[in-house]
Amino acid sequence: MSERLQPGDTAPDFTLPDADGNDIALAAHKGRKVIVYFYPAALTAGCTKQACDFTDNLDLLAGAGYDVIGVSPDKPEKLAAFREKENLKVTLVGDPSKETLEAYGAYGEKQSYGKTVTGVIRSTIVVDEEGKVERALYNVRATGHVARIIKDLGI
């Protein structure tokens, strides 16, 4: 099980393919705040709700200086289908190797329908302009999560 990040930690850098197969690097966002959220799978109910909520609030978040990157273990082709089907504007990247998910503490044992399973732990990490973890939220719920982040960040 990977270690969970704490505020003040350096956010692990990553370069992952987006829905179009282009490399997206966390380092390219230096100087801006980034909300990196981890979700189990594209085209599922909870993950769709969360991605749509981020898309609906993207202008508000961008206006407050935040970029948003969604990370799942999906391949770019599935991310592209997800983006097209749901009209998503948020940047989605795939981590099939799960290295980034593990580096962020977003992959490991979790409870699912009363059973202990290994998988993606729905998590959100807010990274500041210098690449440090500002907030680390684990085991979040898809519904209402974006509204809570906006409130917590004072946007």
Side-chain angles (χ1 to χ4, degrees), residues 58-79:
L58 208 53
D59 289 343
L60 178 68
L61 291 165
Y66 291 89
D67 295 335
V68 179
I69 301 172
V71 182
S72 74
D74 298 308
K75 290 185 167 58
E77 302 79 33
K78 188 172 180 188
L79 297 175

Side-chain angles (χ1 to χ4, degrees), residues 28-148:
H29 294 265
K30 200 160 178 103
R32 284 185 61 82
K33 294 185 178 198
V34 185
I35 297 170
V36 184
Y37 79 97
F38 299 90
Y39 63 98
L43 299 166
T44 59
C47 299
T48 296
K49 172 77 178 124
Q50 192 175 22
C52 288
D53 283 353
F54 271 117
T55 291
D56 292 346
N57 289 285
L58 208 53
D59 289 343
L60 178 68
L61 291 165
Y66 291 89
D67 295 335
V68 179
I69 301 172
V71 182
S72 74
D74 298 308
K75 290 185 167 58
E77 302 79 33
K78 188 172 180 188
L79 297 175
F82 187 33
R83 180 186 63 198
E84 301 312 314
K85 181 175 189 271
E86 301 299 336
N87 241 352
L88 301 174
K89 303 287 183 242
V90 65
T91 299
L92 301 173
V93 298
D95 182 23
S97 72
K98 301 178 186 71
E99 286 177 28
T100 299
L101 287 155
E102 289 176 355
Y104 276 79
Y107 189 84
E109 283 190 357
K110 64 179 186 173
Q111 293 296 313
S112 181
Y113 301 105
K115 291 188 167 75
T116 300
V117 298
T118 300
V120 176
I121 300 162
R122 192 181 301 277
S123 311
T124 300
I125 309 299
V126 180
V127 180
D128 71 13
E129 300 91 340
E130 300 302 314
K132 298 278 187 203
V133 175
E134 188 175 294
R135 292 171 194 262
L137 308 166
Y138 291 94
N139 293 310
V140 301
R141 297 200 178 281
T143 303
H145 179 60
V146 175
R148 182 177 151 217

Side-chain angles (χ1 to χ4, degrees), residues 18-29:
D18 70 5
D20 298 314
N22 299 315
D23 283 345
I24 302 295
L26 180 63
H29 294 265

